[in-house]
Amino acid sequence: MKPANTMLSGAEIFFECLREEKVEFIFGYPGGATLKIYEKLHDIDFLQHILSRHEQGATHMAEGYAKATGKVGVVLVTSGPGATNTVTGIADAYMDSVPLVVFTGQVPTALIGNDAFQEADIVGITRPITKHNFLVRDVRELAATIKKAFYIASSGRPGPVVVDLPKDMLNSSCMYQPPEDFSIPGYKPNYSGHPNQIKKAASILADARRPLLYVGGGVIMSGATAELRELAEKNNLPITMTLQGLGAFPGQSEQSLGMLGMHGTYVANQAVNNCDVLLALGARFDDRVTGKISAFAPDAYKIHVDIDPTAIDKNIIVDIPIVGDAKRVIAELSRAMHKTPRVNEWWQQLNGWRAECPLSYDMDSSGLKTEYVLETLSDLTRGEAVVVSDVGQHQMWVAQYYKFNHPRSHLSSGGLGTMGFSVPAAIGAAFAVKDRPVISINGDGGFQMNIQELVTARAYKLPIIFIIINNSFLGMVRQWQELFHDEKYSFTDLRDSNPDFVKVARAFGLPAYTTDRADEVEGLLKNALNHRQGPVLLEFKVVKEDMVFPMVPTGASISDMIVKRLNPQRMV
Amino acid sequence: MKHIISIHVANTFGAFDRVATMFSAKGFNIHSISIGETEIKDISRMTIVTSGDGQIIDQIVKQLHRLIDTIKVVDLTEHDHLERELALIAVNYKKGQLDEVKNICDIFRGFVVDINNKSVTLEITGPPAKISAALNVLAPFGIKEIARSGTIAIRRGEQVSYPKQEVA
């Protein structure tokens, strides 16, 4: 530690601040505007800099790290294109409330606005996709700004914060003193819910006959899984989870109804449709969850717990809003429950729906089924792996078929739906997760969007299993084309253009295997799980025209759910 | 329905932009927007006139609160308040019309602030409806140019208060 009250350069202050914040990893890519930081980085040993191969990759790595650990993910890129390349990752983090601090280089203060080389107004560009952002205009403000950035990113509803660092801020010096208290007068997240609202909610819940817990990512972020289990198990409450909520409650448990919404289970959606009290915990009534708003939980008394007041009454008007941290509020709710609700009849009904229409797929002669691959993976890893899915059909199948035991184990781009998320996010997660397998699951389309990061995985010898579910189509778009766009398979057919993924992976230095046979799936997965000395790639060539069911079409109500393909023999 | 929202923001780089960006990003309307200094150093006051149903106004207020730089947000429409707008109106006049223009200006308790041999510039203040009424009456003379300040507003009686700076 440098003594207080010494003259330090901006670049040195930068590292002092990162030390204060106990940063372990920076995911970054050097460039002209950040040279000074990289010069100092050479002598820094308290953190590790991870070199991505594209700044978008670095941003998703930081997201993967943050989602897997709950800590702030740190990104460092240069000005101009370095900064603009982070935009997708920042928008992704904003939508999924991922705590990131993204440091962007900037041209020297005197050149800002002059269309200087590699200049981009990244503060302006990222304003609507950050929780907050800063342009440092005085080196004496640098330390306090970085401290505020970490505080804002990680407190309340987490989110990305951009700190733009003009080159002269890093080169010039000032007296450095570690910042202590700081003031953000307009920012005070509310952690404890209103006691009367909680009391009211507890009594409504205790009197419910058909209660349902609707659990989102907020429960995982606040570390409320133990509190959730206590509330649910003591009162025998059924639970449905959103895509981001998966892992908040053990997927194997009888009390879990699985995911709800567009590709949710039949029982979860029927439960929403018929419940009399809906307790939403850290979830935001996203359109992929609700479908047609007026038909969503139409008879239910709605209680909504969220730390972000804007989430309340945004999409659905609720009866009892509780602004607060899920962990505290759920614990208070448990304490305030004076009796347990009578739910035996409700469970009979729920189990009836579960039996009536379970998740299922046919193992027929048409070829390898994605569902089979994922179910096998779930069984082999006993729900213990960290599974990082990309975006599309395979993502929904992961959500349906992988039974997550733990929070922070299902990492996925939910809100923004960013194809290309999985490969780098799995890399970021693998730096933090050492005791469990990290598995990146991709479609053949999304895999090509950040394919360059395979080399990052190899360079750091990360034991990640990269899986490609290859149907040679942009499968989810193809599914919509088949169902809603008159079977016009416009630009979703990759059969003639996909590369040989095994050769590509081997060129990056990864062992790689492919199969289209169900009887080889288990063996390949087992071998890959035992391969701990570096990344490995498995390609599963699956049935090309399979669709994800059940499905509630956009804007439809749950009663319009499509449960099965009408003409299963259809070929494209 | 029209709502007047008063926002105290920290006078930081980009604070105004953040508010404006939020309105456009969320698809909310802005009828007028004005910003100026307050009695407290480093705190500015914005007055935004917007419109929407109850749910939208509720979201606007919450989204404004959510911005890190906003310190206090008040929907003045819910309170007894004063609202004013200032307009500078350049009106053409022909020979013999000047008295008539000046007369109208007096009726609206305005001032003549500039004159040349073709046009006269009037300063009129009041609630926006009064300005609109003046403009209607002046229109037949030919309005050369208008500059309006946008609405500013303040609560009557008890002062709007905001928290002292606290350590987070």
Side-chain angles (χ1 to χ4, degrees):
Chain A
M1 174 75 80
K2 297 264 163 80
N5 286 317
T6 46
M7 286 294 279
L8 294 186
S9 71
E12 288 169 318
I13 292 172
F14 173 84
F15 284 110
E16 287 305 314
C17 294
L18 263 48
R19 189 205 304 268
E20 288 259 314
E21 299 297 335
K22 303 185 171 57
V23 172
E24 304 168 292
F25 297 101
I26 300 179
F27 301 93
Y29 203 97
T34 50
L35 273 170
K36 195 76 186 172
I37 291 179
Y38 278 86
E39 180 192 319
K40 291 288 154 207
L41 189 55
H42 211 71
D43 309 320
I44 296 289
D45 53 8
F46 67 88
L47 57 72
Q48 200 185 347
H49 176 276
I50 309 303
L51 179 67
S52 69
R53 290 301 184 274
H54 188 292
E55 290 89 349
Q56 185 191 352
T59 319
H60 292 317
M61 285 175 202
E63 280 192 278
Y65 171 81
K67 283 191 175 201
T69 60
K71 297 176 191 169
V72 177
V74 179
V75 179
L76 171 63
V77 297
T78 191
S79 64
T84 55
N85 277 345
T86 64
V87 166
T88 301
I90 293 171
D92 192 89
Y94 188 61
M95 288 287 266
D96 285 346
S97 309
V98 183
L100 292 190
V101 174
V102 179
F103 293 100
T104 52
Q106 182 54 278
V107 301
T109 326
L111 291 183
I112 289 178
N114 287 15
D115 297 339
F117 177 64
Q118 292 195 330
E119 178 183 358
D121 173 15
I122 199 63
V123 169
I125 290 168
T126 59
R127 200 162 276 141
I129 52 164
T130 49
K131 189 170 170 187
H132 198 60
N133 59 20
F134 295 96
L135 169 65
V136 179
R137 297 199 295 175
D138 182 340
V139 66
R140 287 168 299 180
E141 286 168 10
L142 178 60
T145 302
I146 293 175
K147 194 166 174 116
K148 280 181 197 171
F150 276 85
Y151 173 67
I152 291 170
S154 57
S155 55
R157 178 176 176 174
V161 176
V162 165
V163 181
D164 202 18
L165 303 167
K167 194 169 182 175
D168 52 325
M169 293 299 113
L170 302 172
N171 293 340
S172 56
S173 300
C174 72
M175 295 293 278
Y176 171 72
Q177 204 170 7
E180 283 166 14
D181 293 337
F182 58 93
S183 139
I184 311 175
Y187 180 66
K188 280 182 200 68
N190 187 24
Y191 289 96
S192 42
H194 195 285
N196 286 345
Q197 297 285 84
I198 293 174
K199 216 181 283 171
K200 216 162 110 190
S203 104
I204 296 276
L205 193 57
D207 286 334
R209 288 290 174 275
R210 301 187 308 279
L212 179 65
L213 303 189
Y214 151 44
V215 171
V219 169
I220 293 176
M221 282 172 224
S222 81
T225 47
E227 287 78 5
L228 175 69
R229 265 184 102 142
E230 196 196 321
L231 176 71
E233 285 172 2
K234 218 160 73 184
N235 297 290
N236 196 17
L237 301 170
I239 292 185
T240 179
M241 288 165 273
T242 68
L243 184 73
Q244 296 297 336
L246 292 172
F249 193 79
Q252 308 276 14
S253 162
E254 280 292 304
Q255 277 176 255
S256 165
L257 309 180
M259 185 172 75
L260 78 166
M262 184 175 276
H263 291 295
T265 62
Y266 180 75
V267 57
N269 284 333
Q270 286 295 357
V272 171
N273 226 4
N274 291 282
C275 64
D276 67 349
V277 173
L278 182 75
L279 174 57
L281 299 166
R284 60 187 176 87
F285 297 91
D286 170 81
D287 55 276
R288 285 295 191 266
V289 159
T290 61
K292 189 175 174 186
I293 294 273
S294 58
F296 181 79
D299 306 325
Y301 195 90
K302 299 180 188 79
I303 305 164
H304 189 185
V305 179
D306 205 288
I307 196 151
D308 179 0
T310 69
I312 286 166
D313 288 349
K314 184 173 69 181
N315 299 332
I316 291 232
I317 303 292
V318 297
D319 300 289
I320 305 184
I322 303 174
V323 176
D325 178 43
K327 191 177 173 78
R328 290 196 204 176
V329 174
I330 296 171
E332 292 285 330
L333 259 176
S334 279
R335 268 196 289 277
M337 294 274 289
H338 52 88
K339 60 173 184 185
T340 55
R342 301 219 313 259
V343 290
N344 288 345
E345 272 179 46
W346 178 226
W347 270 114
Q348 278 173 17
Q349 222 176 337
L350 292 169
N351 288 329
W353 285 318
R354 182 141 47 189
E356 188 187 328
C357 188
L359 288 172
S360 70
Y361 59 95
D362 302 319
M363 286 289 270
D364 52 31
S365 55
S366 62
L368 181 57
K369 296 282 182 173
T370 308
E371 298 96 316
Y372 172 73
V373 174
L374 297 174
E375 205 167 47
T376 307
L377 180 70
S378 184
D379 292 344
L380 281 178
T381 56
R382 298 181 307 282
E384 293 286 314
V386 173
V387 179
V388 189
S389 59
D390 208 64
V391 170
Q393 287 185 313
H394 72 277
Q395 178 189 31
M396 293 299 111
W397 276 316
V398 167
Q400 291 178 342
Y401 285 92
Y402 196 95
K403 303 290 177 226
F404 292 93
N405 281 341
H406 304 290
R408 301 198 178 283
S409 302
H410 173 245
L411 317 185
S412 194
S413 167
L416 198 65
T418 308
M419 286 171 72
F421 171 86
S422 173
V423 169
I427 292 171
F431 280 105
V433 178
K434 296 293 179 199
D435 53 342
R436 297 192 284 151
V438 176
I439 300 165
S440 160
I441 302 182
N442 304 268
D444 49 300
F447 188 70
Q448 294 176 66
M449 285 201 181
N450 270 315
I451 198 167
Q452 76 285 350
E453 302 304 343
L454 286 182
V455 77
T456 311
R458 201 226 41 217
Y460 293 94
K461 298 190 177 64
L462 299 169
I464 301 167
I465 304 174
F466 293 102
I467 292 177
I468 305 178
I469 302 294
N470 185 356
N471 63 358
S472 298
F473 271 96
L474 301 178
M476 187 58 95
V477 182
R478 201 211 69 86
Q479 173 167 345
W480 284 55
Q481 287 172 332
E482 177 173 337
L483 292 172
F484 313 116
H485 294 275
D486 203 21
E487 300 179 52
K488 301 281 188 277
Y489 300 113
S490 213
F491 296 95
T492 47
D493 186 346
L494 306 180
R495 284 177 295 185
D496 296 332
S497 55
N498 264 342
D500 179 332
F501 288 109
V502 167
K503 279 189 188 160
V504 169
R506 287 181 182 158
F508 277 111
L510 276 71
Y513 309 92
T514 182
T515 188
D516 58 1
R517 293 170 49 135
D519 59 357
E520 290 183 352
V521 170
E522 191 173 329
L524 280 175
L525 286 172
K526 273 185 177 161
N527 284 345
L529 286 163
N530 288 328
H531 180 88
R532 299 294 294 168
Q533 53 272 38
V536 53
L537 180 127
L538 303 179
E539 180 195 34
F540 295 104
K541 290 184 170 159
V542 297
V543 180
K544 299 198 184 331
E545 62 279 5
D546 260 2
M547 295 204 273
V548 184
F549 292 113
M551 178 179 195
V552 183
T554 318
S557 68
I558 285 157
S559 44
D560 300 323
M561 180 185 282
I562 309 170
V563 176
K564 254 190 167 16
R565 192 180 212 141
L566 296 173
N567 45 350
Q569 295 313 314
R570 181 197 298 274
M571 297 296 286
V572 292
Chain B
M1 190 196 153
K2 196 185 81 169
H3 282 253
I4 302 175
I5 318 269
S6 160
I7 310 146
H8 285 80
V9 294
N11 199 356
T12 53
F13 178 80
F16 173 84
D17 222 35
R18 249 179 257 287
V19 171
T21 300
M22 188 283 285
F23 271 82
S24 66
K26 302 277 174 193
F28 301 140
N29 294 315
I30 296 182
H31 297 302
S32 78
I33 186 164
S34 75
I35 185 161
E37 292 176 353
T38 62
E39 70 284 6
I40 298 193
K41 190 176 162 279
D42 299 333
I43 292 180
S44 301
R45 179 177 185 134
M46 296 173 77
T47 310
I48 292 181
V49 180
T50 183
S51 59
D53 62 22
Q55 194 184 354
I56 288 174
I57 299 297
D58 177 58
Q59 267 296 311
I60 289 175
V61 170
K62 285 181 187 169
Q63 293 285 352
L64 285 167
H65 269 298
R66 191 190 195 204
L67 298 174
I68 307 288
D69 287 329
T70 54
I71 294 161
K72 173 129 185 135
V73 183
V74 181
D75 181 1
L76 288 174
T77 321
E78 291 175 352
H79 304 279
D80 191 9
H81 67 278
L82 291 164
E83 58 187 282
R84 290 290 181 271
E85 187 174 9
L86 184 147
L88 295 172
I89 308 163
V91 187
N92 297 322
Y93 70 93
K94 295 199 181 78
K95 210 170 171 202
Q97 288 182 325
L98 186 57
D99 278 353
E100 213 179 327
V101 172
K102 197 171 171 303
N103 218 354
I104 292 168
C105 180
D106 287 343
I107 290 167
F108 285 97
R109 298 179 205 284
F111 302 98
V112 174
V113 290
D114 190 25
I115 189 161
N116 60 38
N117 52 14
K118 281 191 184 149
S119 70
V120 55
T121 302
L122 312 179
E123 174 193 315
I124 296 176
T125 59
K130 177 180 157 188
I131 311 248
S132 300
L135 287 170
N136 279 339
V137 184
L138 292 166
F141 296 96
I143 290 173
K144 205 175 130 201
E145 204 179 344
I146 308 169
R148 295 176 72 154
S149 67
T151 302
I152 54 167
I154 198 165
R155 264 174 91 162
R156 269 186 198 275
E158 149 198 34
Q159 264 303 324
V160 178
S161 61
Y162 35 84
K164 289 252 159 35
Q165 296 212 340
E166 283 171 35
V167 172

